[in-house]
Amino acid sequence: MISNTEMEMFCFQCQETSKNEACTKFKGVCGKTSLTAGLQDVLVYSLKGIAAVCNEARLDGKLDSDVGIHIAEGLFTTITNANFDDEGIADSILKSLAFRDSLKLRYRNPSLRTLPDCATWEHDGSRSFQSKFKEASIMATENEDIRSLRELLISGLKGIAAYMVHAHVLGSHDKVLNDFMVEALCSTTQDLSAEELTALVLKAGSVAVNGMALLDHANTSRFGNPEISTVNIGVGKNPGMLISGHDLKDIKELLEQTEGQGIDVYTHSEMLPAHYYPELKKFKHLVGNYGNAWWKQKEEFSDFNGPILMTTNCIVPVDDSYKNRIFTTGQVGYPGVIHIEEAEEGEQKDFSMIIKLAKLCEIPKEIETGSIVGGFAHSQVIQLADKIVEAVKSGVIKKFIVLAGCDGRHKDRNYYTSLASLLPKDNVILTAGCAKFRYNKLKLGDINGIPRVLDAGQCNDSYSLVVIALKLKEVFGLDDINDLPISYDIAWYEQKAVAVLLALIHLGVKGIRLGPTLPGFLSPNVAKLLVETFDIKPIGSVENDIQDMCGVSVSEAKEIA
C-alpha cells in the first residue's frame, strides 16, 4: 500500500487552479492530494521515457501502433477529475516502466545509451515513487517560458489522447496521432528553443483536428449520425441507473444488458448527447437526462438513489451519501470505489453487479421537469444549410456565437448564462460540451424554426462546430473563415478544451475569447504570444463582449427585440 504522506504539490493544469497560478499545498482545488499529483507527474514522466525510447523508430517510420495508444491511455488517466486512485496510478507507472523496457528490446539501437533519465531510471521497489517526484515535477524545467510552452503542449496532448482513446475502443486508429504522441512527449525531454516548442504547439492544433475527425467517424459509423432529439429531464416510475462521462461504447453495452430488466437508464452531464444517436436512442429504457454539469455531482448523485457509472473524466471526490453505489470504468478511478474492468476482446464489460444493485434501489428523486432539445451535429445542421443561409442573407439571423467548452464551479461562469440570455434575439448559439448547462435550459426560443441554441453534443463533438463553420465558409463563397458572421467565446476547464483551442488556432480562427481566465500555465511571454499573434482575448464584461461581438449594445438589442 502507498503511504499517503503530505507533501508540497505543484499543479496548474485546470482552470480552477488556486489563484489562477497553481495548487501548491497539500490538496488541489479538484480534490486530489499532493501524493496523487506527484504520482500523476511520475506517470507522465514514465510516458516521456517511452517516447524517448521510440523516437528513432518514429523517425524511421517503424513505430508500432501500440506505443501511441499506451501513451494516450496514460495521459488520459492524468486529465483533471479522471483518476484519484493512487494504487491504480502506481500500477500504471509500473506497467509503463515494463512496457518501456520491452520497447528497448523491440527497437534495439546503440544510440539508446544516450537516452534521458526518464527512459533509463530504475524504480526502487517503492510503489509511492516519491524518490522521483522532484525530477518528474513540472517545476523541474527552470526556464519559465520553456516550462509554459512544454505544459501548453502537454495539455493539448492530453486532450488529443482523450480523443484517441475513445476512437481506439471503437476500433479506429490514426498513424498521425500515434506518431505525434511520441514526437510531442519526446520533445519535452530535449533542449528545444521557444520557437521550436511553439511550432510543436501549433502542430498539436493540426493533430487535434485529426483526432476530432477520427472520433467523429468512429462514433457516427458505429452509432449513426446524431438527430434532432427532445430529451426528458424528469424521472420515470422505475428504478434507475445513471451513466456519466463520454464513452458511448459503455452506454451501448449498458443499454443492451439492462434491456427488459425493468430498469430505466439516465444520462448525466457529458453523456446527454447519447440521446441524439439513432443506435442508442432506439432503446426505450433510455428515458432521459438527470441533472446538470459535472460539478453538481454531490447533490445530484445523492438525490438519484440508484447506482452511478463513471465512464471517463469528470468524477469529483465521492461523497459518503452515494459511495456504496458509484462505480468507475476505463481511465477513471477513485479509492474505495468498485472499478469495472475491461472485457476480453470481442466481449462486453460485465455490468451485472450494477444491474443487480439498481433493482434494489428506490426510484430517482425528481429534481426538475421538462425537456431539452439537441442533436445539431454537423450532418444535421448541414441538412438545414439552405434554411440557415437564407436566414442569414435575409438578415433574420445576424450572428452565430460559439459558446462551447467546459462548465465549472466558479461564480465567474455566470457570465455565460448572462451572455446567452442577453444576446440579441437574431443571434444563434452553437455549443458543444458541458458549458451548455449554463444556458441550454433557458427559454431562448427559435428563429424561423431554428432553435437559438444548437447543441452539437459532447466536448468530444467540437469537431462538428469546425465542420459547420467550414461548410458555411464554402456556401457563402468566402476565402477566410474569419469573414463568417461567427464569434467564438470558449469556456475552458480541462485539457480537452485546450486541444480544441489549439485546433481553432490551427484553422486560422482569430478573436477567440477564452474564459473565465486565461490558463495559469501560460507565462506572461507565452500569454502575450497568444494574444498578439493569434488574437486570443480574455473575456470581459457581458455588456462589452456583446457590443464587440454583435456590434450592438445590450440596451440596443433589447430595443430591437
Side-chain angles (χ1 to χ4, degrees):
M1 298 292 290
I2 298 172
S3 174
N4 193 11
T5 306
E6 285 192 345
M7 63 198 80
E8 293 287 328
M9 67 185 290
F10 187 95
C11 181
F12 57 5
Q13 70 174 4
C14 82
Q15 187 274 321
E16 291 184 353
T17 193
S18 181
K19 300 178 182 178
N20 202 45
E21 295 175 356
C23 295
T24 57
K25 296 300 181 182
F26 306 125
K27 181 174 285 190
V29 171
C30 69
K32 69 182 175 184
T33 66
S34 55
L35 177 59
T36 305
L39 287 169
Q40 289 183 347
D41 286 347
V42 175
L43 177 54
V44 174
Y45 188 72
S46 72
L47 299 173
K48 290 180 181 182
I50 290 172
V53 166
C54 297
N55 196 44
E56 285 193 15
R58 175 189 69 83
L59 293 170
D60 293 339
K62 298 177 181 179
L63 185 67
D64 295 315
S65 60
D66 62 334
V67 176
I69 193 61
H70 181 96
I71 292 174
E73 288 173 343
L75 289 175
F76 196 1
T77 299
T78 69
I79 280 184
T80 303
N81 287 348
N83 201 307
F84 296 81
D85 184 4
D86 297 335
E87 297 290 344
I89 299 169
D91 285 341
S92 295
I93 296 169
L94 290 171
K95 289 175 183 177
S96 288
L97 292 175
F99 187 56
R100 179 202 68 186
D101 292 342
S102 72
L103 292 171
K104 291 179 184 177
L105 298 176
R106 188 190 303 183
Y107 302 123
R108 191 185 300 274
N109 190 308
S111 66
L112 292 183
R113 288 175 293 183
T114 63
L115 288 171
D117 179 74
C118 59
T120 59
W121 65 280
E122 299 288 343
H123 74 283
D124 60 7
S126 167
R127 287 178 59 82
S128 70
F129 297 97
Q130 292 184 24
S131 64
K132 279 294 171 185
F133 280 12
K134 184 175 181 180
E135 196 168 355
S137 169
I138 293 163
M139 296 303 289
T141 302
E142 294 182 2
N143 182 289
E144 182 183 32
D145 294 332
I146 296 298
R147 180 170 66 242
S148 178
L149 287 165
R150 283 179 174 177
E151 293 309 312
L152 176 57
L153 177 60
I154 289 174
S155 289
L157 197 64
K158 287 183 179 184
I160 295 168
Y163 297 128
M164 188 173 171
V165 171
H166 284 305
H168 170 72
V169 299
L170 294 174
S172 293
H173 310 89
D174 186 327
K175 186 178 185 301
V176 171
L177 273 69
N178 190 63
D179 285 3
F180 192 68
M181 287 288 128
V182 170
E183 179 186 10
L185 265 191
C186 185
S187 76
T188 65
T189 71
Q190 300 168 334
D191 188 21
L192 299 187
S193 67
E195 290 74 20
E196 291 170 314
L197 284 169
T198 299
L200 276 168
V201 167
L202 296 179
K203 184 174 180 179
S206 170
V207 176
V209 175
N210 277 58
M212 290 189 288
L214 179 72
L215 179 56
D216 178 79
H217 174 74
N219 283 338
T220 55
S221 60
R222 179 71 69 93
F223 307 112
N225 283 303
E227 303 169 341
I228 300 175
S229 305
T230 301
V231 182
N232 173 46
I233 58 174
V235 300
K237 297 181 180 179
N238 296 320
M241 298 175 59
L242 190 62
I243 181 167
S244 190
H246 308 74
D247 196 299
L248 297 181
K249 184 182 179 187
D250 282 339
I251 191 172
K252 175 69 180 301
E253 293 182 358
L254 184 68
L255 288 167
E256 289 175 342
Q257 293 178 39
T258 51
E259 194 167 24
Q261 298 275 350
I263 299 168
D264 290 339
V265 175
Y266 296 81
T267 57
H268 170 262
S269 192
E270 284 281 57
M271 197 60 81
L272 163 65
H275 294 272
Y276 312 155
Y277 288 90
E279 285 301 305
L280 299 176
K281 64 188 293 185
K282 70 181 183 182
F283 290 93
K284 302 304 181 184
H285 63 300
L286 178 61
V287 299
N289 187 77
Y290 192 90
N292 297 277
W294 60 271
W295 60 278
K296 291 189 175 181
Q297 277 177 41
K298 288 190 177 181
E299 58 191 85
E300 293 178 347
F301 285 5
S302 180
D303 287 338
F304 183 72
N305 293 329
I308 304 119
L309 176 64
M310 300 298 301
T311 66
T312 60
N313 65 303
C314 292
I315 192 171
V316 304
V318 175
D319 191 74
D320 288 341
S321 63
Y322 57 86
K323 191 169 186 177
N324 63 346
R325 53 184 172 84
I326 187 170
F327 300 79
T328 61
T329 193
Q331 268 60 50
V332 199
Y334 196 85
V337 169
I338 295 174
H339 187 79
I340 305 298
E341 299 296 340
E342 298 302 310
E344 296 294 329
E345 187 172 352
E347 301 294 326
Q348 290 191 350
K349 291 181 181 178
D350 182 4
F351 295 124
S352 59
M353 184 185 304
I354 313 178
I355 295 169
K356 182 178 179 180
L357 176 59
K359 294 178 179 180
L360 302 175
C361 294
E362 297 180 13
I363 67 171
K365 176 183 176 182
E366 190 164 77
I367 57 176
E368 58 186 338
T369 59
S371 62
I372 47 180
V373 177
F376 295 93
H378 58 86
S379 175
Q380 186 70 79
V381 172
I382 287 172
Q383 292 179 40
L384 300 172
D386 291 343
K387 191 174 183 179
I388 291 172
V389 169
E390 177 57 33
V392 173
K393 287 183 176 180
S394 66
V396 177
I397 293 178
K398 287 286 199 315
K399 194 87 175 183
F400 295 92
I401 308 295
V402 176
L403 285 182
C406 314
D407 197 13
R409 290 167 283 226
H410 277 188
K411 291 182 179 179
D412 291 350
R413 291 180 184 269
N414 291 330
Y415 161 95
Y416 298 101
T417 306
S418 297
L419 187 112
S421 61
L422 293 173
L423 280 172
K425 302 302 182 185
D426 52 13
N427 281 213
V428 171
I429 295 169
L430 301 175
T431 192
C434 65
K436 64 175 159 275
F437 285 102
R438 287 283 171 175
Y439 41 80
N440 68 340
K441 295 173 185 177
L442 300 176
K443 304 300 182 184
L444 298 180
D446 63 82
I447 300 175
N448 291 353
I450 301 170
R452 288 191 58 227
V453 177
L454 300 181
D455 174 22
Q458 300 177 347
C459 56
N460 290 349
D461 299 312
S462 296
Y463 179 70
S464 277
L465 304 183
V466 171
V467 173
I468 291 167
L470 292 176
K471 182 63 178 179
L472 290 175
K473 174 175 170 280
E474 174 191 328
V475 170
F476 284 113
L478 302 174
D479 295 325
D480 189 337
I481 197 170
N482 295 295
D483 291 335
L484 285 167
I486 300 179
S487 291
Y488 295 79
D489 198 335
I490 307 296
W492 83 284
Y493 176 78
E494 46 94 350
Q495 296 77 62
K496 280 178 282 185
V498 176
V500 172
L501 174 67
L502 296 179
L504 292 173
I505 290 174
H506 163 72
L507 293 169
V509 175
K510 300 286 188 181
I512 301 169
R513 283 176 170 76
L514 188 64
T517 58
L518 294 182
F521 53 74
L522 298 180
S523 68
N525 286 333
V526 173
K528 182 179 179 181
L529 169 73
L530 292 176
V531 170
E532 293 185 354
T533 305
F534 304 108
D535 197 22
I536 302 296
K537 304 174 186 288
I539 63 170
S541 70
V542 170
E543 291 76 12
N544 288 343
D545 287 351
I546 288 178
Q547 174 77 55
D548 193 35
M549 290 189 293
C550 307
V552 297
S553 67
V554 170
S555 58
E556 289 172 327
K558 288 180 178 179
E559 288 177 9
I560 294 171

